Amino acid sequence: MSYSTADSLRPVTLDDVRGAQKMLSGVARVTAMEGSRHLSQLVGAPVHLKCENLQRTGSFKLRGAYVRIAGLLPEERAAGVVAASAGNHAQGVALASALLGVRSTVFMPQGAPLPKVSATRDYGAEVRLHGQVVDETLAAAQEYAAETGAVFIHPFDHSDIIAGQGTVGLEILEQCPEARTIVVGIGGGGLAAGIAVSVKALRPDLKIIGVQAEGAAAYPPSLAAGRPVSVENPATMADGIKVGRPGDVPFGIVGELVDEVRTVSEDELSAALLLCLERAKLVVEPAGASPVAALLSRPGSFEGPVVAVLSGGNVDPVLMQRVLRHGMAAQGRYLAVRLRLTDRPGALATLLGVLSVVDANVLDVSHVRTDPRLGLTEAEVELHLETKGPAHCAEVGQALREAGYTVMG
């Protein structure tokens, strides 16, 4: 299977995906399919997790990148490849290029997480930091391609990329032939399009549901308009699906073969990431957790058995800390309160004693004495607490009020 860059708009077929699967044998892992008892109980049907977060480089992106680069003509390989990415695609291109003996240059935003920059370099790519946002980085990569003749490897808008990602669908059918619904996150649309091509050709009855973050949901308006349209300033913690415009190639496939596209909130993404970590013992990035977020959002609306595709696990530790805190708050397990007390020795200890009685775990305390809003003998305390859920939050608030404290937030 060898295609030149002129074939970017070529229709993707089941034969293409099967050819990609042969090409990826021994390169990409056949990732695990794990059952989730908790999600199964919630949905009322068996739920399985397709663990692409355990793929080489930590995401499905290696599949499409390898197929795309392996399909280059000899003169194109000789010119090298270039890509633009803040993370997963960068690492997929870097490793695929190294395996194929092709020189790679990857442009990344200046603010890209250091672990992702380091991993991309370790896989063998030359990394160039340029721009504050991905659009600026993308422009720099395309300019580099025009100047040097290097082949630009698009993250989703190419038939070979989609064929490679479609191998996830073939594995799902092999591992869970009884599946009735597949739920998959959508950014540009390459993964969803590839899965749709392979699955619908063999199981047209199987339902495919795409998931986007509310703040970066370009597919619903695009599908309504019948053409790709852009979303201005997409904003979401799920950077893996933070794409402002659908790709031309995947858009046609998604519009034809994907049954539904839903959106999820940031709170639902946080809760999903926390659930994957606590219940499934899987480290998943926010974009990879988006199918689980959709299950949490409307659990009774899925026909089972359901397969949720965990597309990646490359989450920056700093972001992970923030997201977990956010997820705990969304589940009512994290409580921030402000209150005033008399500024005298032992007052804070007394307050902490009240919290100890109701078994609230104090994570952080901020003690302010000099604010002009405070009286001469007053102090303001802000507490960050770990709780056991909404009912426990209410119990903590009630205990504070009964002890004579005025809770301000």
Side-chain angles (χ1 to χ4, degrees):
M1 188 165 113
S2 178
Y3 305 108
S4 73
T5 53
D7 288 314
S8 62
L9 298 177
R10 175 182 48 80
V12 186
T13 67
L14 176 61
D15 286 342
D16 293 328
V17 181
R18 283 176 167 160
Q21 187 176 46
K22 292 179 181 178
M23 187 181 293
L24 289 167
S25 178
V27 175
R29 294 173 182 153
V30 176
T31 51
M33 183 83 75
E34 298 287 343
S36 172
R37 184 175 67 176
H38 178 76
L39 287 172
S40 297
Q41 291 174 341
L42 187 68
V43 172
V47 174
H48 306 278
L49 306 175
K50 177 60 172 168
C51 300
E52 280 296 289
N53 59 311
L54 303 180
Q55 184 56 261
R56 295 177 72 178
T57 74
S59 88
F60 71 95
K61 289 288 190 178
L62 172 64
R63 297 173 184 264
Y66 188 90
V67 173
R68 172 77 175 99
I69 297 169
L72 295 177
L73 299 172
E75 58 269 27
E76 292 175 317
R77 287 199 193 195
V81 299
V82 60
S85 169
N88 289 345
H89 181 58
Q91 293 173 67
V93 168
L95 178 56
S97 299
L99 294 172
L100 292 164
V102 177
R103 185 178 70 258
S104 64
T105 303
V106 176
F107 284 76
M108 304 182 76
Q110 291 177 355
L114 291 178
K116 294 184 178 182
V117 174
S118 177
T120 303
R121 286 195 174 115
D122 288 345
Y123 286 127
E126 177 190 347
V127 175
R128 299 192 180 191
L129 301 178
H130 184 93
Q132 299 299 323
V133 296
V134 174
D135 285 345
E136 295 173 357
T137 309
L138 179 64
Q142 291 173 326
E143 182 179 348
Y144 176 89
E147 291 174 353
T148 65
V151 178
F152 179 68
I153 306 299
H154 199 284
F156 50 81
D157 207 10
H158 195 285
S159 298
D160 291 353
I161 294 285
I162 293 170
Q165 320 305 28
T167 59
V168 176
L170 293 182
E171 289 179 16
I172 289 173
L173 294 182
E174 293 166 1
Q175 295 171 311
C176 187
E178 70 277 14
R180 301 291 301 172
T181 305
I182 295 174
V183 190
V184 56
I186 297 184
L191 178 61
I195 289 175
V197 167
S198 57
V199 167
K200 289 292 189 176
L202 297 169
R203 285 278 309 281
D205 61 304
L206 199 154
K207 189 171 185 179
I208 299 176
I209 297 177
V211 183
Q212 293 206 286
E214 286 179 353
Y219 264 90
S222 296
L223 292 169
R227 57 180 175 80
V229 298
S230 298
V231 171
E232 295 296 327
N233 302 317
T236 175
M237 73 178 77
D239 58 350
I241 54 175
K242 185 181 175 181
V243 178
R245 181 185 184 279
D248 293 326
V249 181
F251 174 76
I253 298 171
V254 170
E256 180 183 356
L257 299 179
V258 171
D259 297 276
E260 184 182 354
V261 176
R262 301 183 182 182
T263 61
V264 293
S265 69
E266 298 298 285
D267 283 350
E268 288 161 348
L269 287 167
S270 297
L273 188 148
L274 184 61
L275 185 147
C276 289
L277 186 63
E278 285 191 325
R279 296 302 184 101
K281 313 307 179 202
L282 292 168
V283 176
V284 182
E285 63 190 89
S290 59
V292 175
L295 295 177
L296 296 177
S297 174
R298 295 168 55 188
S301 64
F302 297 89
E303 181 182 0
V306 179
V307 175
V309 182
L310 307 183
S311 59
N314 291 319
V315 58
D316 179 56
V318 175
L319 175 63
M320 171 71 88
Q321 185 179 36
R322 295 206 317 263
V323 170
L324 289 179
R325 183 71 62 86
H326 189 81
M328 290 175 67
Q331 290 188 349
R333 294 169 52 192
Y334 176 79
L335 179 65
V337 295
R338 284 188 305 114
L339 45 84
R340 291 182 184 179
L341 44 75
T342 302
D343 189 12
R344 57 176 175 76
L348 182 58
T350 301
L351 169 62
L352 296 179
V354 173
L355 296 172
S356 176
V357 169
V358 292
D359 202 23
N361 185 31
V362 179
L363 300 175
D364 189 32
V365 178
S366 176
H367 201 186
V368 178
R369 291 187 174 91
T370 57
D371 194 297
R373 297 172 302 162
L374 298 175
L376 184 63
T377 61
E378 288 184 321
E380 184 174 287
V381 174
E382 182 173 349
L383 298 157
H384 293 182
L385 309 172
E386 181 183 2
T387 62
K388 301 172 184 177
H392 191 206
C393 287
E395 181 185 351
V396 171
Q398 182 65 25
L400 290 171
R401 285 186 288 272
E402 289 179 353
Y405 296 103
T406 300
V407 180
M408 295 180 289

PDB file of all heavy atoms in Angstrom, residues 67-100:
ATOM      1  N   VAL A  67       1.318   4.685   9.032  1.00  0.00           N
ATOM      2  CA  VAL A  67       0.770   4.336   7.717  1.00  0.00           C
ATOM      3  C   VAL A  67       1.022   5.462   6.722  1.00  0.00           C
ATOM      4  O   VAL A  67       1.385   5.230   5.562  1.00  0.00           O
ATOM      5  CB  VAL A  67      -0.735   4.021   7.828  1.00  0.00           C
ATOM      6  CG1 VAL A  67      -1.369   3.830   6.452  1.00  0.00           C
ATOM      7  CG2 VAL A  67      -0.945   2.767   8.672  1.00  0.00           C
ATOM      8  N   ARG A  68       0.844   6.694   7.161  1.00  0.00           N
ATOM      9  CA  ARG A  68       1.054   7.848   6.281  1.00  0.00           C
ATOM     10  C   ARG A  68       2.504   7.936   5.819  1.00  0.00           C
ATOM     11  O   ARG A  68       2.790   8.099   4.622  1.00  0.00           O
ATOM     12  CB  ARG A  68       0.655   9.130   7.025  1.00  0.00           C
ATOM     13  CG  ARG A  68       0.997  10.419   6.299  1.00  0.00           C
ATOM     14  CD  ARG A  68       0.018  10.688   5.175  1.00  0.00           C
ATOM     15  NE  ARG A  68       0.285  11.983   4.580  1.00  0.00           N
ATOM     16  CZ  ARG A  68       0.985  12.182   3.455  1.00  0.00           C
ATOM     17  NH1 ARG A  68       1.503  11.157   2.802  1.00  0.00           N
ATOM     18  NH2 ARG A  68       1.167  13.400   2.995  1.00  0.00           N
ATOM     19  N   ILE A  69       3.445   7.811   6.739  1.00  0.00           N
ATOM     20  CA  ILE A  69       4.858   7.957   6.385  1.00  0.00           C
ATOM     21  C   ILE A  69       5.352   6.745   5.611  1.00  0.00           C
ATOM     22  O   ILE A  69       6.127   6.872   4.656  1.00  0.00           O
ATOM     23  CB  ILE A  69       5.697   8.199   7.655  1.00  0.00           C
ATOM     24  CG1 ILE A  69       5.266   9.519   8.313  1.00  0.00           C
ATOM     25  CG2 ILE A  69       7.184   8.244   7.341  1.00  0.00           C
ATOM     26  CD1 ILE A  69       5.827   9.739   9.702  1.00  0.00           C
ATOM     27  N   ALA A  70       4.882   5.557   5.979  1.00  0.00           N
ATOM     28  CA  ALA A  70       5.276   4.347   5.248  1.00  0.00           C
ATOM     29  C   ALA A  70       4.787   4.391   3.815  1.00  0.00           C
ATOM     30  O   ALA A  70       5.385   3.761   2.923  1.00  0.00           O
ATOM     31  CB  ALA A  70       4.723   3.106   5.951  1.00  0.00           C
ATOM     32  N   GLY A  71       3.716   5.115   3.541  1.00  0.00           N
ATOM     33  CA  GLY A  71       3.165   5.204   2.197  1.00  0.00           C
ATOM     34  C   GLY A  71       3.802   6.258   1.318  1.00  0.00           C
ATOM     35  O   GLY A  71       3.420   6.405   0.155  1.00  0.00           O
ATOM     36  N   LEU A  72       4.777   7.003   1.838  1.00  0.00           N
ATOM     37  CA  LEU A  72       5.430   8.026   1.026  1.00  0.00           C
ATOM     38  C   LEU A  72       6.290   7.405  -0.078  1.00  0.00           C
ATOM     39  O   LEU A  72       6.843   6.315   0.090  1.00  0.00           O
ATOM     40  CB  LEU A  72       6.314   8.913   1.910  1.00  0.00           C
ATOM     41  CG  LEU A  72       5.612   9.780   2.968  1.00  0.00           C
ATOM     42  CD1 LEU A  72       6.654  10.529   3.796  1.00  0.00           C
ATOM     43  CD2 LEU A  72       4.632  10.739   2.316  1.00  0.00           C
ATOM     44  N   LEU A  73       6.396   8.114  -1.170  1.00  0.00           N
ATOM     45  CA  LEU A  73       7.285   7.703  -2.250  1.00  0.00           C
ATOM     46  C   LEU A  73       8.733   7.877  -1.811  1.00  0.00           C
ATOM     47  O   LEU A  73       9.030   8.674  -0.906  1.00  0.00           O
ATOM     48  CB  LEU A  73       7.004   8.527  -3.500  1.00  0.00           C
ATOM     49  CG  LEU A  73       5.583   8.407  -4.080  1.00  0.00           C
ATOM     50  CD1 LEU A  73       5.376   9.417  -5.202  1.00  0.00           C
ATOM     51  CD2 LEU A  73       5.314   6.994  -4.549  1.00  0.00           C
ATOM     52  N   PRO A  74       9.690   7.157  -2.407  1.00  0.00           N
ATOM     53  CA  PRO A  74      11.100   7.251  -1.984  1.00  0.00           C
ATOM     54  C   PRO A  74      11.632   8.679  -1.961  1.00  0.00           C
ATOM     55  O   PRO A  74      12.338   9.072  -1.022  1.00  0.00           O
ATOM     56  CB  PRO A  74      11.825   6.384  -3.011  1.00  0.00           C
ATOM     57  CG  PRO A  74      10.806   5.387  -3.449  1.00  0.00           C
ATOM     58  CD  PRO A  74       9.507   6.111  -3.449  1.00  0.00           C
ATOM     59  N   GLU A  75      11.303   9.468  -2.986  1.00  0.00           N
ATOM     60  CA  GLU A  75      11.800  10.838  -3.014  1.00  0.00           C
ATOM     61  C   GLU A  75      11.172  11.690  -1.913  1.00  0.00           C
ATOM     62  O   GLU A  75      11.791  12.651  -1.422  1.00  0.00           O
ATOM     63  CB  GLU A  75      11.548  11.482  -4.380  1.00  0.00           C
ATOM     64  CG  GLU A  75      10.102  11.526  -4.830  1.00  0.00           C
ATOM     65  CD  GLU A  75       9.682  10.310  -5.652  1.00  0.00           C
ATOM     66  OE1 GLU A  75      10.289   9.228  -5.458  1.00  0.00           O
ATOM     67  OE2 GLU A  75       8.757  10.450  -6.482  1.00  0.00           O
ATOM     68  N   GLU A  76       9.948  11.365  -1.512  1.00  0.00           N
ATOM     69  CA  GLU A  76       9.306  12.089  -0.417  1.00  0.00           C
ATOM     70  C   GLU A  76       9.958  11.727   0.919  1.00  0.00           C
ATOM     71  O   GLU A  76      10.195  12.598   1.770  1.00  0.00           O
ATOM     72  CB  GLU A  76       7.811  11.776  -0.381  1.00  0.00           C
ATOM     73  CG  GLU A  76       7.045  12.335  -1.571  1.00  0.00           C
ATOM     74  CD  GLU A  76       5.587  11.922  -1.578  1.00  0.00           C
ATOM     75  OE1 GLU A  76       5.290  10.746  -1.301  1.00  0.00           O
ATOM     76  OE2 GLU A  76       4.735  12.793  -1.859  1.00  0.00           O
ATOM     77  N   ARG A  77      10.260  10.452   1.116  1.00  0.00           N
ATOM     78  CA  ARG A  77      10.954  10.040   2.341  1.00  0.00           C
ATOM     79  C   ARG A  77      12.307  10.726   2.459  1.00  0.00           C
ATOM     80  O   ARG A  77      12.722  11.146   3.534  1.00  0.00           O
ATOM     81  CB  ARG A  77      11.150   8.520   2.351  1.00  0.00           C
ATOM     82  CG  ARG A  77       9.908   7.703   2.592  1.00  0.00           C
ATOM     83  CD  ARG A  77      10.328   6.307   3.031  1.00  0.00           C
ATOM     84  NE  ARG A  77       9.240   5.359   3.012  1.00  0.00           N
ATOM     85  CZ  ARG A  77       9.289   4.179   3.616  1.00  0.00           C
ATOM     86  NH1 ARG A  77      10.376   3.828   4.272  1.00  0.00           N
ATOM     87  NH2 ARG A  77       8.271   3.359   3.557  1.00  0.00           N
ATOM     88  N   ALA A  78      12.982  10.811   1.330  1.00  0.00           N
ATOM     89  CA  ALA A  78      14.312  11.419   1.339  1.00  0.00           C
ATOM     90  C   ALA A  78      14.274  12.884   1.772  1.00  0.00           C
ATOM     91  O   ALA A  78      15.235  13.402   2.344  1.00  0.00           O
ATOM     92  CB  ALA A  78      14.941  11.299  -0.043  1.00  0.00           C
ATOM     93  N   ALA A  79      13.151  13.557   1.506  1.00  0.00           N
ATOM     94  CA  ALA A  79      13.015  14.967   1.871  1.00  0.00           C
ATOM     95  C   ALA A  79      12.687  15.160   3.344  1.00  0.00           C
ATOM     96  O   ALA A  79      12.757  16.277   3.861  1.00  0.00           O
ATOM     97  CB  ALA A  79      11.939  15.631   1.010  1.00  0.00           C
ATOM     98  N   GLY A  80      12.332  14.081   4.023  1.00  0.00           N
ATOM     99  CA  GLY A  80      11.961  14.170   5.426  1.00  0.00           C
ATOM    100  C   GLY A  80      10.520  14.586   5.611  1.00  0.00           C
ATOM    101  O   GLY A  80       9.815  14.914   4.650  1.00  0.00           O
ATOM    102  N   VAL A  81      10.078  14.569   6.856  1.00  0.00           N
ATOM    103  CA  VAL A  81       8.696  14.943   7.168  1.00  0.00           C
ATOM    104  C   VAL A  81       8.698  16.024   8.235  1.00  0.00           C
ATOM    105  O   VAL A  81       9.659  16.184   8.995  1.00  0.00           O
ATOM    106  CB  VAL A  81       7.865  13.729   7.646  1.00  0.00           C
ATOM    107  CG1 VAL A  81       7.809  12.657   6.566  1.00  0.00           C
ATOM    108  CG2 VAL A  81       8.404  13.171   8.954  1.00  0.00           C
ATOM    109  N   VAL A  82       7.587  16.754   8.298  1.00  0.00           N
ATOM    110  CA  VAL A  82       7.415  17.791   9.303  1.00  0.00           C
ATOM    111  C   VAL A  82       5.976  17.730   9.807  1.00  0.00           C
ATOM    112  O   VAL A  82       5.051  17.400   9.061  1.00  0.00           O
ATOM    113  CB  VAL A  82       7.734  19.194   8.729  1.00  0.00           C
ATOM    114  CG1 VAL A  82       6.830  19.549   7.562  1.00  0.00           C
ATOM    115  CG2 VAL A  82       7.646  20.264   9.810  1.00  0.00           C
ATOM    116  N   ALA A  83       5.799  18.030  11.081  1.00  0.00           N
ATOM    117  CA  ALA A  83       4.464  18.018  11.685  1.00  0.00           C
ATOM    118  C   ALA A  83       4.368  19.153  12.690  1.00  0.00           C
ATOM    119  O   ALA A  83       5.381  19.716  13.125  1.00  0.00           O
ATOM    120  CB  ALA A  83       4.194  16.677  12.366  1.00  0.00           C
ATOM    121  N   ALA A  84       3.142  19.477  13.045  1.00  0.00           N
ATOM    122  CA  ALA A  84       2.873  20.474  14.085  1.00  0.00           C
ATOM    123  C   ALA A  84       1.914  19.862  15.083  1.00  0.00           C
ATOM    124  O   ALA A  84       0.866  19.332  14.697  1.00  0.00           O
ATOM    125  CB  ALA A  84       2.280  21.740  13.484  1.00  0.00           C
ATOM    126  N   SER A  85       2.258  19.940  16.360  1.00  0.00           N
ATOM    127  CA  SER A  85       1.412  19.301  17.365  1.00  0.00           C
ATOM    128  C   SER A  85       1.838  19.764  18.748  1.00  0.00           C
ATOM    129  O   SER A  85       3.005  20.089  18.969  1.00  0.00           O
ATOM    130  CB  SER A  85       1.530  17.778  17.272  1.00  0.00           C
ATOM    131  OG  SER A  85       0.934  17.142  18.379  1.00  0.00           O
ATOM    132  N   ALA A  86       0.883  19.752  19.662  1.00  0.00           N
ATOM    133  CA  ALA A  86       1.196  20.038  21.061  1.00  0.00           C
ATOM    134  C   ALA A  86       1.473  18.771  21.849  1.00  0.00           C
ATOM    135  O   ALA A  86       1.803  18.837  23.025  1.00  0.00           O
ATOM    136  CB  ALA A  86       0.046  20.798  21.709  1.00  0.00           C
ATOM    137  N   GLY A  87       1.330  17.594  21.220  1.00  0.00           N
ATOM    138  CA  GLY A  87       1.553  16.394  22.015  1.00  0.00           C
ATOM    139  C   GLY A  87       1.479  15.066  21.305  1.00  0.00           C
ATOM    140  O   GLY A  87       2.468  14.543  20.809  1.00  0.00           O
ATOM    141  N   ASN A  88       0.289  14.479  21.201  1.00  0.00           N
ATOM    142  CA  ASN A  88       0.151  13.096  20.761  1.00  0.00           C
ATOM    143  C   ASN A  88       0.599  12.872  19.325  1.00  0.00           C
ATOM    144  O   ASN A  88       1.308  11.911  19.023  1.00  0.00           O
ATOM    145  CB  ASN A  88      -1.304  12.645  20.929  1.00  0.00           C
ATOM    146  CG  ASN A  88      -1.694  12.477  22.385  1.00  0.00           C
ATOM    147  OD1 ASN A  88      -0.839  12.431  23.259  1.00  0.00           O
ATOM    148  ND2 ASN A  88      -2.977  12.395  22.648  1.00  0.00           N
ATOM    149  N   HIS A  89       0.171  13.732  18.409  1.00  0.00           N
ATOM    150  CA  HIS A  89       0.574  13.583  17.013  1.00  0.00           C
ATOM    151  C   HIS A  89       2.077  13.760  16.872  1.00  0.00           C
ATOM    152  O   HIS A  89       2.723  13.064  16.083  1.00  0.00           O
ATOM    153  CB  HIS A  89      -0.182  14.593  16.154  1.00  0.00           C
ATOM    154  CG  HIS A  89       0.133  14.514  14.691  1.00  0.00           C
ATOM    155  ND1 HIS A  89      -0.052  13.366  13.944  1.00  0.00           N
ATOM    156  CD2 HIS A  89       0.627  15.456  13.826  1.00  0.00           C
ATOM    157  CE1 HIS A  89       0.296  13.595  12.684  1.00  0.00           C
ATOM    158  NE2 HIS A  89       0.726  14.844  12.591  1.00  0.00           N
ATOM    159  N   ALA A  90       2.638  14.679  17.654  1.00  0.00           N
ATOM    160  CA  ALA A  90       4.085  14.905  17.619  1.00  0.00           C
ATOM    161  C   ALA A  90       4.834  13.626  17.946  1.00  0.00           C
ATOM    162  O   ALA A  90       5.774  13.232  17.237  1.00  0.00           O
ATOM    163  CB  ALA A  90       4.454  16.005  18.615  1.00  0.00           C
ATOM    164  N   GLN A  91       4.404  12.948  18.999  1.00  0.00           N
ATOM    165  CA  GLN A  91       5.094  11.731  19.412  1.00  0.00           C
ATOM    166  C   GLN A  91       4.866  10.594  18.420  1.00  0.00           C
ATOM    167  O   GLN A  91       5.774   9.802  18.154  1.00  0.00           O
ATOM    168  CB  GLN A  91       4.617  11.340  20.806  1.00  0.00           C
ATOM    169  CG  GLN A  91       5.042  12.349  21.862  1.00  0.00           C
ATOM    170  CD  GLN A  91       4.450  12.071  23.222  1.00  0.00           C
ATOM    171  OE1 GLN A  91       4.780  11.059  23.856  1.00  0.00           O
ATOM    172  NE2 GLN A  91       3.566  12.937  23.688  1.00  0.00           N
ATOM    173  N   GLY A  92       3.652  10.515  17.861  1.00  0.00           N
ATOM    174  CA  GLY A  92       3.383   9.485  16.864  1.00  0.00           C
ATOM    175  C   GLY A  92       4.241   9.653  15.626  1.00  0.00           C
ATOM    176  O   GLY A  92       4.812   8.682  15.105  1.00  0.00           O
ATOM    177  N   VAL A  93       4.363  10.876  15.130  1.00  0.00           N
ATOM    178  CA  VAL A  93       5.195  11.152  13.956  1.00  0.00           C
ATOM    179  C   VAL A  93       6.662  10.875  14.264  1.00  0.00           C
ATOM    180  O   VAL A  93       7.394  10.293  13.443  1.00  0.00           O
ATOM    181  CB  VAL A  93       5.000  12.607  13.487  1.00  0.00           C
ATOM    182  CG1 VAL A  93       6.066  13.000  12.453  1.00  0.00           C
ATOM    183  CG2 VAL A  93       3.606  12.782  12.885  1.00  0.00           C
ATOM    184  N   ALA A  94       7.101  11.283  15.455  1.00  0.00           N
ATOM    185  CA  ALA A  94       8.505  11.093  15.816  1.00  0.00           C
ATOM    186  C   ALA A  94       8.878   9.613  15.842  1.00  0.00           C
ATOM    187  O   ALA A  94       9.901   9.202  15.267  1.00  0.00           O
ATOM    188  CB  ALA A  94       8.784  11.740  17.172  1.00  0.00           C
ATOM    189  N   LEU A  95       8.063   8.787  16.492  1.00  0.00           N
ATOM    190  CA  LEU A  95       8.384   7.363  16.576  1.00  0.00           C
ATOM    191  C   LEU A  95       8.233   6.685  15.221  1.00  0.00           C
ATOM    192  O   LEU A  95       9.092   5.881  14.821  1.00  0.00           O
ATOM    193  CB  LEU A  95       7.491   6.675  17.606  1.00  0.00           C
ATOM    194  CG  LEU A  95       7.713   5.158  17.750  1.00  0.00           C
ATOM    195  CD1 LEU A  95       9.159   4.837  18.084  1.00  0.00           C
ATOM    196  CD2 LEU A  95       6.775   4.565  18.797  1.00  0.00           C
ATOM    197  N   ALA A  96       7.163   6.983  14.487  1.00  0.00           N
ATOM    198  CA  ALA A  96       6.972   6.370  13.170  1.00  0.00           C
ATOM    199  C   ALA A  96       8.145   6.689  12.252  1.00  0.00           C
ATOM    200  O   ALA A  96       8.645   5.811  11.526  1.00  0.00           O
ATOM    201  CB  ALA A  96       5.658   6.860  12.559  1.00  0.00           C
ATOM    202  N   SER A  97       8.594   7.931  12.281  1.00  0.00           N
ATOM    203  CA  SER A  97       9.720   8.329  11.436  1.00  0.00           C
ATOM    204  C   SER A  97      10.985   7.575  11.817  1.00  0.00           C
ATOM    205  O   SER A  97      11.736   7.110  10.953  1.00  0.00           O
ATOM    206  CB  SER A  97       9.961   9.839  11.552  1.00  0.00           C
ATOM    207  OG  SER A  97       8.834  10.571  11.123  1.00  0.00           O
ATOM    208  N   ALA A  98      11.220   7.452  13.125  1.00  0.00           N
ATOM    209  CA  ALA A  98      12.410   6.736  13.579  1.00  0.00           C
ATOM    210  C   ALA A  98      12.373   5.277  13.143  1.00  0.00           C
ATOM    211  O   ALA A  98      13.384   4.717  12.699  1.00  0.00           O
ATOM    212  CB  ALA A  98      12.526   6.844  15.102  1.00  0.00           C
ATOM    213  N   LEU A  99      11.211   4.646  13.262  1.00  0.00           N
ATOM    214  CA  LEU A  99      11.082   3.243  12.865  1.00  0.00           C
ATOM    215  C   LEU A  99      11.296   3.043  11.369  1.00  0.00           C
ATOM    216  O   LEU A  99      11.778   1.993  10.932  1.00  0.00           O
ATOM    217  CB  LEU A  99       9.703   2.714  13.264  1.00  0.00           C
ATOM    218  CG  LEU A  99       9.421   2.616  14.769  1.00  0.00           C
ATOM    219  CD1 LEU A  99       7.962   2.270  15.022  1.00  0.00           C
ATOM    220  CD2 LEU A  99      10.345   1.588  15.426  1.00  0.00           C
ATOM    221  N   LEU A 100      10.946   4.066  10.584  1.00  0.00           N
ATOM    222  CA  LEU A 100      11.041   3.965   9.122  1.00  0.00           C
ATOM    223  C   LEU A 100      12.317   4.596   8.569  1.00  0.00           C
ATOM    224  O   LEU A 100      12.526   4.606   7.358  1.00  0.00           O
ATOM    225  CB  LEU A 100       9.816   4.623   8.483  1.00  0.00           C
ATOM    226  CG  LEU A 100       8.491   3.881   8.723  1.00  0.00           C
ATOM    227  CD1 LEU A 100       7.300   4.781   8.409  1.00  0.00           C
ATOM    228  CD2 LEU A 100       8.435   2.612   7.864  1.00  0.00           C
TER     229      LEU A 100
END
